[in-house]
Amino acid sequence: MSPTLPEEATSTSSDEPVRTDMIVIGAGPTGLFTVFEAGLLGLRCHLVDNLDKPGGQCAELYPDKPIYDIPALPRCTGQELTDNLLEQARPFAPEFHLNQQAERLTRLDDGHWQLVTSIGTVLEAPVIVVAAGAGSFVPRRLPLPEAEGFEGTSLHYAVRKMEHFRDRRLLVAGGGDSALDWLLNLQPIARSAALVHRRDEFRAAPDSVEKMRALVAAGQVGLHFGQIAKLHGSDGRLEAVTLGKTGGGEETVECDTVLAFFGLKMELGPLASWGLNLERNLIKVDTEAFETSQPGIFAIGDICTYPGKLKLILSGFHEAALMCQKAHKYCRPEQKLVFRYTTSSTELHKRLGVAD
Ligand code: FAD
C-alpha cells in the first residue's frame, strides 16, 4: 500500500545543513505538486513530513477511496493520486525527510531561512513553503502520567529502524494495520513478542490477523485483551506493564519495549509559534502569490486561508503554480522568468527529461 518512493530520495538527519531552493513542509498532494511546478522553473525542493510516507490525507486517511474531482482524472483513489504525483515529480528528484516534524524556523543573516526538524535535520533555503494541510499527523500517546519518562527509550509510537527492536521483549498495543504489521515484521527479530488490544476484534487486514493468530496458536506471540494501565521501570528502562483486563482484573506482562499504535490526530504544532498571520489555525495569504506575512514564506493547500478558499486538492495545485512564480524571484533574483508551455518548450522538455 505504501507508494514507491526511491530509497535514495529519503534521508535522515546529518550534521551538514541541507541547502536547497525550497523547503516544503508537508508531502501531501499540494507539497508533491509543488515539486513539479518548482521543477519546471528550475528549482529544487526538499520535503519534510511527519508521516512515514508521502501523500498526506490522501495516503493516510483514504488511500482506497475514489476521488472524482481531480481535473481530467474521472476517478482515482487517494493512493493512485499520490503515486501519480510522485511519478510526475520524479524528473525533479525531490528529497524526502520523513518521520520528522518541522519544528524551529529562524531567519539567517543572508535572508535565507533555516529549518530544524524534530530529529535534528537542518535545512536552509531562501523559500519556505508551508503545505501542512490541517497540521501534522501525530500519534495519540499512551494516556498515563509516567509514559513521558519512557518515551524514546522503551515506549515508541513509530518504528524508524527495525534493528532497534532486535532482541527486545516487545509488547505491541493496538488492533489496526500498523500494530499488526509491525508485530509480524518485528516478531522474527525480537526476543519475545506480544500483542495487547481492547477486544478480540481487529481493524487490521484479515490476512494480517490470520497470520497473527497462527503465531499465537504456535506459542510464538502472546495475545492479551485489555489496556495498558501502568508502566513499571526506572530511568526510562521498562521492566513490565500492568494490563487492566477487558473482562476485569489485572495482569502483569514482562517486557522492555512497548510499541503503541492508537491512531493519529492532527495538530498545528510548532507552526503556530512562527509568527505567521493566523486565522482560526489557518495561515492568511494573498491570492496573487500565496505569501504569508513573512517574506519568503508561502502557505498553500488546506493550511492557507483567503476569501473564497475551497479546501480541495485542485485548489492546492493552482496555489502551488502561482506561488512558484513569486518563489522564483527569491531563489533566482538575477533571472527573468519566461512563461513557457510544457507542450512546446524545448527548455521544459530538457528539464522533464523528454527532449530528443
Ligand atoms: P494534507 O493532505 O493534509 O498534507 C499535509 C501534510 O503535512 C501531512 O502529511 C502532515 O503530516 C504534514 N505536516 C503538517 N505539519 C507538519 C510539520 N510541522 N512537520 C512535518 N509535516 C507536517 N479533496 C478533494 O479535492 N476531493 C475529494 O474527493 C476529497 N475527499 C476527501 C475525503 C476525506 C475522507 C478527507 C479527509 C479529505 C478529502 N479531501 C478531498 C480533502 C483533501 O484530502 C485535502 O484538500 C488535501 O489532502 C489537502 O492537501 P494538502 O497537501 O494541502 O494537505
Side-chain angles (χ1 to χ4, degrees):
M1 192 50 69
S2 63
T4 41
L5 190 62
E7 190 69 23
E8 70 275 16
T10 62
S11 46
T12 50
S13 75
S14 79
D15 292 341
E16 268 298 294
V18 173
R19 294 195 176 85
T20 186
D21 293 315
M22 294 161 71
I23 301 166
V24 183
I25 300 167
T30 308
L32 292 179
F33 194 62
T34 297
V35 174
F36 179 76
E37 286 295 325
L40 288 181
L41 306 187
L43 305 176
R44 281 287 312 273
C45 294
H46 278 244
L47 299 94
V48 178
D49 204 298
N50 250 58
L51 293 175
D52 60 358
K53 57 184 180 301
Q57 294 176 49
C58 301
E60 187 60 39
L61 299 181
Y62 55 99
D64 302 323
K65 283 212 171 78
I67 311 171
Y68 298 99
D69 57 351
I70 304 298
L73 269 183
R75 183 193 148 109
C76 71
T77 66
Q79 191 57 54
E80 284 164 354
L81 180 74
T82 303
D83 290 344
N84 284 344
L85 285 166
L86 282 167
E87 180 62 28
Q88 196 170 21
R90 199 181 298 277
F92 306 115
E95 285 205 35
F96 292 86
H97 305 268
L98 299 173
N99 274 318
Q100 48 200 303
Q101 189 173 41
E103 261 185 11
R104 273 181 292 127
L105 186 67
T106 39
R107 198 186 251 296
L108 302 171
D109 290 343
D110 63 1
H112 287 194
W113 294 99
Q114 184 183 76
L115 178 81
V116 183
T117 74
S118 50
I119 64 162
T121 308
V122 181
L123 301 111
E124 294 177 4
V127 165
I128 300 284
V129 180
V130 185
S136 314
F137 282 100
V138 291
R140 289 183 201 282
R141 304 186 120 79
L142 194 59
L144 295 174
E146 70 275 22
E148 203 182 331
F150 293 98
E151 281 173 6
T153 50
S154 306
L155 170 60
H156 305 270
Y157 300 105
V159 176
R160 292 191 207 286
K161 284 205 176 99
M162 278 181 55
E163 269 311 299
H164 183 81
F165 298 90
R166 184 174 289 281
D167 287 331
R168 297 290 188 108
R169 289 176 300 142
L170 185 65
L171 178 66
V172 177
D177 281 316
S178 299
L180 276 273
D181 286 354
W182 282 121
L183 177 80
L184 297 174
N185 275 300
L186 294 172
Q187 182 272 331
I189 63 167
R191 184 174 305 175
S192 65
L195 178 69
V196 56
H197 183 46
R198 274 170 296 138
R199 56 182 184 275
D200 194 5
E201 276 171 36
F202 297 87
R203 293 185 319 280
D207 176 53
S208 308
V209 178
E210 219 172 278
K211 285 186 183 141
M212 177 274 291
R213 289 199 194 281
L215 287 169
V216 172
Q220 290 173 285
V221 161
L223 180 58
H224 307 270
F225 298 112
Q227 295 191 50
I228 299 176
K230 179 98 190 126
L231 302 174
H232 305 278
S234 56
D235 300 328
R237 306 270 156 229
L238 190 68
E239 286 156 19
V241 303
T242 299
L243 302 181
K245 290 179 22 171
T246 300
E250 288 188 340
E251 179 183 8
T252 300
V253 176
E254 289 192 4
C255 58
D256 56 28
T257 304
V258 168
L259 253 175
F261 297 103
F262 302 138
L264 300 169
K265 58 180 181 163
M266 286 168 117
E267 62 182 36
L268 194 55
L271 300 180
S273 61
W274 289 357
L276 303 173
N277 212 352
L278 295 180
E279 184 180 279
R280 282 194 237 115
N281 274 351
L282 298 169
I283 303 172
K284 277 168 84 171
V285 289
D286 67 71
T287 49
E288 192 185 335
F290 304 94
E291 197 162 11
T292 67
S293 49
Q294 299 276 359
I297 305 186
F298 297 84
I300 54 175
D302 277 14
I303 192 77
C304 77
T305 184
Y306 52 83
K309 165 74 184 172
L310 282 181
K311 286 192 186 180
L312 284 175
I313 294 164
L314 65 86
S315 314
F317 291 170
H318 160 80
E319 291 153 12
L322 264 62
M323 175 275 297
C324 284
Q325 300 286 312
K326 175 87 184 271
H328 185 270
K329 290 190 173 47
Y330 287 100
C331 299
R332 304 279 186 276
E334 71 294 349
Q335 280 179 17
K336 191 172 179 303
L337 194 55
V338 180
F339 178 79
R340 296 182 173 104
Y341 287 126
T342 56
T343 40
S344 44
S345 161
T346 330
E347 181 65 32
L348 294 189
H349 290 171
K350 272 193 219 143
R351 287 185 179 151
L352 285 161
V354 295
D356 290 336

